[in-house]
Amino acid sequence: MATLNNIAQNLQNKSIFITGCTGFLAKIFVEKILRVLPQVKRLYLLIRAPDAKSAKHRLDTQVISKELFRVLRTKHGDEFNSFISEKLCPVAGDMAVEDLGIQETHLKVVIMREVDIIVNVAATTTFDERYDIALNINALGADRLMAFARRCHRLQMFLHVSTAYVCGSNSGLIMEKPIRIEETPNGESNLDIEKELQLVEKKLEELQARGVEKAEETTAMKELGLNRARSFGWPNSYAFTKAMGEMLICESRGDLPLVIIRPTIIEATLADPFPGWIEGFRTAGSVIMSYAKGKLKCFPANAELPMDVIPADMVVNAMVVSMVVHSRQSASFIYHVGSSKQNPTSNSVLASCAYRYFSSNPVKGKDGKAISIDQFFFYTSMDNFRKYMNFYYNMPLQALKLANLALFNICGRLLKDLTRKYNFIMYMAELYEPYVFFDGRFDDSNTEGLRKAMKAGGMEEGWFNFDPKCINWEEYYMKVYYPGLVRYAMMQNIAQSLENKSIFITGSTGFLAKIFVEKILRVQPQVKRLYLLVRASDAKSAKHRIDTQVISKELFRVLRTKHGDEFDSFISEKICPIAGDIAVEDLGIQETHLKQEIMEEVDIIANVAATTTFDERYDVALNINALGADRVMTFAHRCHKLQMFLHVSTAYVCGSKSGLMMEKPIRMGETPNGQNNLDIEAELRLAEKELKELRARGVEKTEETAAMKQLGFKRARSFGWPNSYAFTKAMGEMLIGESRKDLPLVIVRPTIIECTLVDPFPGWIEGFRTAGSVIMSYGKGKLKCFPSNVNLPIDVIPADMVVNAMVVSMVAHSRQPQSFIYHVGSSKQNPTTTSLLADCAYRYFSNNPVKGTDGRDISVDKLFLYSSLDDFRKYMNFYYNVPLQRPMATLNSIAQSLKNKSILITGCTGFLAKIFVEKILRVQPQVKRLYLLLRASDAKSAKHRLDTQVI
């Protein structure tokens, strides 16, 4: 491209050493160089990792695999991987240690000999970072890199990315000038970096001498950083330590060419490689998305002060042009890259556009419904915002605190949660205060000069545009920034975490696992592979089961439509059926080569396999739910790169316990009834002994099954569990908790799982589940009453919500060597009741009756709920069991005695009288007549009540 000649020629065969390359800005920089300037010789990317293999893995998963590289990937096609291998060299190291932590001596020598340009983008950008960490990375890290640069034989340029907010509390027009050593924004001239380091060291020693918890140490170090920053006039430890970093490298650079780029608030790309790409919620994004989710209605800010936002690709363009223009010039140059001087926007424009965009494109809540929003309100002073928060939130919280004391801590958890939210909002407001009330504009005379130099040098501005005057802010917010926030920042965090990952899934022909598989394939099609363990004798049978019992289901309709004619090839590429069985050792996988592949490739194991039958045979339930889970964990320990073991259990492992069930592990041998004497080995021997005895007696299979079911039921009840399902699932948790070692483990405990709420479409279900079997029996007229406390909560959760929790938890805790337990239910946050379930069932089936075998509508009465099982037993005994126990002759005798009799009955629209009337008519149709007294004004009204409320 002729228009790129000047820059391309300058960077041809150049080697560039880049730090911080797994961060947002550095990724865009790397992509830009590779796409627009492929003649570059090599990019050495410093990555925080212990060795070359780990550095390569981080590069592949956290940089190259990103959607950002989509255009470059398309451009190179099949040659993409070889191009990347040729141009990129991951370097294992760490800016936070001496000599950048590079252990490979040979590679270090090559870098020092070959590198022409160093680009320092590494930083911790957290405003309230621990002071020791911020100092070590932002200040000392930059200085270490400069020391390394001075050892590079042919270095032509050191480019350092800082922040415009090193100006601190200064206001007005902020100039592009260096910060002298010891210079501070508030005019204090006593800043001594060495003393700051000594202060940090002393504080750490004091905290460690006191033996404080890690969390307390972190809080103390964050507070220290914030206090020290504000004492000199900087808003936070980020800006403070970035300023110190500038001081140190300017002091030590000697005659090395130095460019310092000071961007303002960096947000989504404007155009390059495509509009709207962003990673995570950045400065403005976190506030905007909290507003879009309905969590934030107001914020302190001067609505009309300029808000200095700059798209990330413009910052990268300025970086590229400046390092070319100033290569080999033994001076230092500083550039503000922002918009407040040339084309300012404001907080009011940002908020107004947010209201318009999210009103037309609302974010969905957890319930799948659109979240409605009001206009965003700005408090023009921090004092007014504090008054608002105090009156509407803090004062009610104090009242709740008093009420909680009077009510013996009944509201303790709620109070703690609300207090935490209040403190968080106030903390964030105070953290952002220096920015939202910042009354300054950043002079960009140097940057404007750079733009002119670019044009004068024949460099095409279109390829390296960093002129903010071209930005239409409303168009940027409405068509680029907000869509990018939703598409990339929200979805990337989860979906991208699964890119190129391989997942081993058990129980994949079951209800929940099918939804899990469909979700992964639809939301993250770039998942590498799903290995689905299927109970089958061979690969052909496993493939057949997947095709007929999983992929062919209506559940996959949306995915099938999405891929069209490519659906089958997509499924073949992504899904690998594995013939096996968790009920046997080594999961029953016979194919040695395939087993080895799984052990080498799998990143995540999701164990969804279970027998969910409440009264399962004890031997079967033990073998699948308890031993099966333990076998999968044993297999997991043999997987070389496993990052996560996810196990689906049930919330009802709590057994007979009542009150608030905590998300805590079940210790080995622990029982709900407090005996805590459960011995799993003894239970296995007991089941084996019972089975041998039954077979020695030569009993029929049905009798053997009944006996083994009864054994499981009795053993469960003896320890405080309701049935063999909950009992054996609890044992499964005990076993994997005991054997996991340091493997990251997430246990998801759903409550009563029913049909999908929204995803992939509402209402998908397979078979009659826990509540469904009762409801459909009622809908078919086979069930008129049931035992249940109408006022107690029934904990129902849609299946897609369980799957969402599974996906989020396994991403959130990947590589974290701890165990995490999550209840996924509704009883605490949004409880429903059996009375509501029954009432809705009556209304639905009254309007949408089920057809009987004769084709006629089945009418239903309201389902009667007995408040105790004892009352229900009495009812069943009186109306069903007693008649069943009497000889037929007795029944005939009773029936004959009513022949030709006339009976006057009162209260016949009531529950009991209806049953009485129906019984007489069914058992003795030769009764002469039943006179039914109904409360009515006339015969016609009485007939109408009889027809509508009884018959």
Side-chain angles (χ1 to χ4, degrees):
M1 296 180 199
T3 54
L4 290 175
N5 278 348
N6 199 309
I7 290 181
Q9 286 170 8
N10 274 279
L11 292 180
Q12 188 170 356
N13 292 320
K14 293 286 194 297
S15 292
I16 307 174
F17 183 82
I18 307 168
T19 68
C21 60
T22 58
F24 171 61
L25 193 66
K27 283 176 193 167
I28 301 173
F29 179 78
V30 168
E31 192 276 342
K32 179 83 175 190
I33 296 291
L34 294 177
R35 177 169 45 83
V36 178
L37 305 164
Q39 304 94 334
V40 71
K41 186 177 181 180
R42 203 141 208 222
L43 304 184
Y44 293 93
L45 308 183
L46 185 70
I47 298 174
R48 192 169 66 253
D51 52 50
K53 185 179 178 181
S54 303
K56 175 72 164 60
H57 180 72
R58 283 197 72 193
L59 175 66
D60 291 342
T61 58
Q62 297 179 35
V63 182
I64 303 305
S65 64
K66 298 294 180 182
E67 174 76 359
L68 173 71
F69 284 76
R70 180 183 73 204
V71 177
L72 187 66
R73 192 176 285 108
T74 303
K75 178 182 176 181
H76 288 277
D78 294 339
E79 302 301 315
F80 176 75
N81 289 332
S82 59
F83 172 74
I84 291 297
S85 297
E86 177 194 346
K87 296 296 180 181
L88 299 187
C89 176
V91 179
D94 191 347
M95 288 269 291
V97 298
E98 291 306 315
D99 220 15
L100 308 184
I102 304 172
Q103 301 297 321
E104 292 185 64
T105 307
H106 173 70
L107 181 58
K108 191 189 300 182
V109 169
V110 170
I111 294 168
M112 289 176 175
R113 185 179 65 236
E114 296 291 331
V115 162
D116 301 280
I117 299 167
I118 286 179
V119 178
N120 181 33
V121 199
T124 171
T125 58
T126 307
F127 286 174
D128 63 337
E129 183 60 271
R130 286 177 56 129
Y131 193 31
D132 53 334
I133 293 174
L135 264 174
N136 200 20
I137 296 173
N138 296 344
L140 299 185
D143 197 42
R144 290 186 194 106
L145 186 60
M146 180 58 80
F148 183 85
R150 292 176 63 78
R151 296 161 63 193
C152 294
H153 311 317
R154 49 187 282 183
L155 198 68
Q156 302 169 17
M157 161 65 56
F158 186 106
L159 187 140
H160 175 74
V161 178
S162 185
T163 170
Y165 295 96
V166 291
C167 66
S169 57
N170 288 321
S171 59
L173 189 64
I174 313 299
M175 306 308 292
E176 295 163 303
K177 63 177 185 178
I179 309 170
R180 296 188 309 276
I181 208 87
E182 297 184 0
E183 182 182 351
T184 63
N186 64 7
E188 295 284 338
S189 58
N190 59 344
L191 173 61
D192 185 327
I193 297 175
E194 279 299 324
K195 285 183 179 177
E196 293 301 309
L197 294 170
Q198 291 165 12
L199 180 66
V200 162
E201 191 175 347
K202 182 182 177 184
K203 183 69 174 179
L204 276 173
E205 286 175 358
E206 286 175 4
L207 291 167
Q208 287 162 9
R210 284 167 46 204
V212 301
E213 296 289 330
K214 195 69 178 174
E216 187 181 341
E217 179 185 292
T218 297
T219 301
M221 294 310 294
K222 283 185 174 187
E223 287 176 358
L224 178 62
L226 195 60
N227 291 337
R228 295 302 294 167
R230 292 196 172 171
S231 71
F232 292 112
W234 278 282
N236 49 51
S237 57
Y238 165 60
F240 182 28
T241 52
K242 288 296 283 183
M244 284 193 268
E246 283 196 28
M247 294 176 195
L248 290 169
I249 61 173
C250 286
E251 187 82 0
S252 62
R253 75 175 184 88
D255 60 354
L256 194 65
L258 171 65
V259 167
I260 296 176
I261 298 286
R262 291 178 181 166
T264 52
I265 298 171
I266 307 174
E267 293 294 351
T269 55
L270 175 68
D272 205 18
F274 46 81
W277 192 78
I278 195 168
E279 194 170 46
F281 299 132
R282 310 198 65 76
T283 311
S286 56
V287 175
I288 291 300
M289 287 314 301
S290 294
Y291 164 66
K293 292 175 182 178
K295 296 178 179 178
L296 196 67
K297 301 178 188 298
C298 61
F299 206 69
N302 187 323
E304 300 312 317
L305 283 177
M307 180 184 185
D308 205 315
V309 175
I310 192 74
D313 49 337
M314 284 194 165
V315 179
V316 164
N317 290 343
M319 290 165 63
V320 175
V321 172
S322 65
M323 76 184 188
V324 168
V325 168
H326 297 300
S327 177
R328 293 195 179 93
Q329 295 181 12
S330 56
S332 63
F333 305 88
I334 295 174
Y335 295 104
H336 283 154
V337 185
S339 59
S340 59
K341 186 165 182 280
Q342 300 290 342
N343 183 19
T345 183
S346 64
N347 292 312
S348 61
V349 174
L350 182 81
S352 171
C353 290
Y355 173 68
R356 285 156 52 201
Y357 181 81
F358 290 108
S359 293
S360 302
N361 306 276
V363 172
K364 302 283 186 183
K366 291 180 181 178
D367 58 1
K369 295 178 181 177
I371 297 172
S372 63
I373 53 172
D374 297 319
Q375 287 270 15
F376 198 74
F377 185 80
F378 286 111
Y379 279 91
T380 56
S381 75
M382 194 66 188
D383 189 51
N384 286 339
F385 181 71
R386 287 192 185 98
K387 288 175 182 176
Y388 163 79
M389 290 297 292
N390 185 58
F391 185 78
Y392 286 100
Y393 293 93
N394 190 40
M395 286 171 65
L397 270 178
Q398 298 309 315
L400 181 62
K401 190 179 289 185
L402 291 173
N404 187 52
L405 286 172
L407 295 170
F408 304 103
N409 202 34
I410 197 171
C411 312
R413 288 176 66 87
L414 174 64
L415 181 64
K416 186 177 180 181
D417 186 50
L418 292 175
T419 302
R420 180 184 58 79
K421 289 178 180 177
Y422 169 79
N423 289 338
F424 177 74
I425 291 172
M426 291 305 301
Y427 183 70
M428 289 302 292
E430 286 167 4
L431 202 61
Y432 278 84
E433 180 186 2
Y435 296 92
V436 294
F437 292 108
F438 180 71
D439 189 10
R441 292 175 187 244
F442 293 100
D443 176 64
D444 64 348
S445 300
N446 292 349
T447 310
E448 183 63 22
L450 187 65
R451 283 190 279 267
K452 290 176 181 176
M454 177 177 68
K455 291 176 183 177
M459 295 179 252
E460 177 57 49
E461 189 177 9
W463 284 101
F464 298 98
N465 178 27
F466 54 98
D467 188 350
K469 292 192 291 292
C470 73
I471 303 171
N472 179 316
W473 287 113
E474 287 199 11
E475 191 171 302
Y476 173 73
Y477 290 143
M478 298 291 287
K479 295 182 179 179
V480 177
Y481 181 43
Y482 297 144
L485 275 179
V486 174
R487 181 177 179 183
Y488 297 108
M490 287 183 72
M491 300 304 292
Q492 263 180 333
N493 290 347
I494 294 172
Q496 293 290 334
S497 298
L498 297 177
E499 193 170 329
N500 290 322
K501 294 287 194 296
S502 292
I503 308 175
F504 181 81
I505 305 169
T506 68
S508 53
T509 58
F511 171 62
L512 193 66
K514 285 176 192 170
I515 301 172
F516 179 71
V517 168
E518 192 277 341
K519 178 83 175 189
I520 297 290
L521 293 176
R522 180 166 42 82
V523 173
Q524 182 43 287
Q526 290 181 315
V527 68
K528 190 174 182 181
R529 205 139 207 226
L530 303 184
Y531 295 93
L532 307 185
L533 186 70
V534 183
R535 194 168 65 251
S537 55
D538 52 48
K540 185 178 178 181
S541 303
K543 173 82 165 57
H544 179 72
R545 285 198 71 192
I546 290 295
D547 290 343
T548 57
Q549 297 178 35
V550 183
I551 303 303
S552 64
K553 297 294 179 181
E554 174 72 1
L555 172 71
F556 284 77
R557 180 183 73 206
V558 176
L559 189 67
R560 192 175 286 107
T561 303
K562 178 181 177 181
H563 288 277
D565 295 339
E566 303 299 317
F567 177 75
D568 290 337
S569 60
F570 172 74
I571 291 297
S572 297
E573 177 194 346
K574 297 298 179 183
I575 288 182
C576 178
I578 309 294
D581 189 348
I582 70 165
V584 298
E585 292 306 315
D586 220 16
L587 307 185
I589 304 172
Q590 301 298 319
E591 294 184 64
T592 307
H593 173 72
L594 187 55
K595 190 191 299 182
Q596 192 62 36
E597 178 186 321
I598 294 166
M599 289 176 177
E600 289 175 1
E601 293 294 326
V602 162
D603 302 281
I604 298 166
I605 287 179
N607 182 36
V608 199
T611 170
T612 58
T613 307
F614 287 176
D615 63 339
E616 183 61 89
R617 287 178 56 129
Y618 193 33
D619 53 333
V620 173
L622 269 172
N623 201 19
I624 296 174
N625 295 345
L627 298 185
D630 197 41
R631 292 185 193 106
V632 179
M633 179 59 81
T634 301
F635 185 83
H637 281 298
R638 297 163 63 192
C639 296
H640 310 320
K641 51 185 273 192
L642 198 70
Q643 301 169 15
M644 164 59 58
F645 187 104
L646 184 140
H647 175 72
V648 178
S649 185
T650 170
Y652 297 97
V653 291
C654 64
S656 57
K657 292 177 180 177
S658 59
L660 187 64
M661 303 301 156
M662 306 307 292
E663 295 163 307
K664 64 177 185 178
I666 309 170
R667 297 189 307 276
M668 184 61 78
E670 183 182 354
T671 62
N673 63 9
Q675 291 181 10
N676 298 335
N677 60 346
L678 172 63
D679 184 334
I680 297 176
E681 284 295 328
E683 294 302 310
L684 293 170
R685 291 193 297 269
L686 180 64
E688 188 179 356
K689 180 183 176 184
E690 180 73 9
L691 204 55
K692 282 182 180 178
E693 288 177 359
L694 289 166
R695 288 174 179 171
R697 284 165 44 203
V699 300
E700 296 288 331
K701 194 69 177 176
T702 52
E703 187 181 341
E704 176 186 296
T705 296
M708 293 309 292
K709 283 186 172 187
Q710 191 174 20
L711 176 64
F713 190 72
K714 285 181 177 177
R715 295 306 294 167
R717 289 285 173 98
S718 71
F719 291 112
W721 278 282
N723 48 50
S724 57
Y725 165 61
F727 182 28
T728 52
K729 288 296 283 183
M731 284 193 266
E733 282 198 28
M734 293 177 197
L735 289 169
I736 63 173
E738 189 86 357
S739 62
R740 76 170 187 89
K741 297 175 184 174
D742 60 350
L743 194 65
L745 170 65
V746 166
I747 296 176
V748 172
R749 292 178 182 165
T751 52
I752 299 171
I753 307 173
E754 293 296 346
C755 69
T756 56
L757 178 68
V758 291
D759 207 16
F761 47 82
W764 192 79
I765 196 167
E766 196 170 46
F768 298 130
R769 309 200 62 76
T770 311
S773 55
V774 175
I775 293 301
M776 285 312 300
S777 295
Y778 165 70
K780 292 177 180 178
K782 296 179 179 178
L783 195 68
K784 301 179 186 297
C785 60
F786 206 71
S788 178
N789 187 324
V790 296
N791 297 315
L792 286 178
I794 178 173
D795 205 314
V796 175
I797 192 75
D800 50 336
M801 284 193 167
V802 179
V803 164
N804 290 344
M806 290 165 62
V807 174
V808 172
S809 64
M810 76 184 188
V811 168
H813 300 302
S814 178
R815 292 196 183 93
Q816 295 182 13
Q818 298 127 325
S819 63
F820 304 88
I821 296 175
Y822 295 103
H823 285 156
V824 185
S826 59
S827 58
K828 185 168 183 285
Q829 300 293 342
N830 186 20
T832 184
T833 60
T834 47
S835 61
L836 181 61
L837 184 77
D839 181 59
C840 290
Y842 172 67
R843 285 152 55 197
Y844 180 82
F845 289 112
S846 294
N847 294 323
N848 306 275
V850 175
K851 299 287 184 183
T853 52
D854 57 2
R856 295 179 182 177
D857 291 347
I858 298 172
S859 62
V860 293
D861 294 318
K862 284 200 170 185
L863 185 67
F864 186 82
L865 299 172
Y866 278 94
S867 57
S868 75
L869 192 58
D870 189 52
D871 287 345
F872 181 71
R873 287 195 184 101
K874 289 175 183 177
Y875 163 80
M876 291 296 291
N877 185 59
F878 185 77
Y879 285 99
Y880 293 91
N881 190 42
V882 171
L884 280 172
Q885 301 306 317
R886 291 179 178 175
M888 188 56 69
T890 305
L891 289 175
N892 287 339
S893 174
I894 293 172
Q896 287 299 320
S897 66
L898 294 177
K899 190 175 181 178
N900 292 321
K901 293 288 194 299
S902 293
I903 308 172
L904 174 68
I905 307 170
T906 66
C908 58
T909 59
F911 170 67
L912 196 62
K914 285 177 190 172
I915 300 171
F916 180 75
V917 169
E918 187 275 345
K919 182 81 172 182
I920 297 294
L921 294 175
R922 178 165 45 81
V923 174
Q924 181 44 286
Q926 290 180 316
V927 68
K928 188 174 183 181
R929 205 143 205 214
L930 303 184
Y931 294 91
L932 308 183
L933 184 66
L934 296 115
R935 190 167 70 253
S937 56
D938 52 45
K940 185 178 179 181
S941 301
K943 175 71 165 59
H944 179 73
R945 284 199 75 193
L946 177 65
D947 291 342
T948 58
Q949 296 180 32
V950 183
I951 305 304

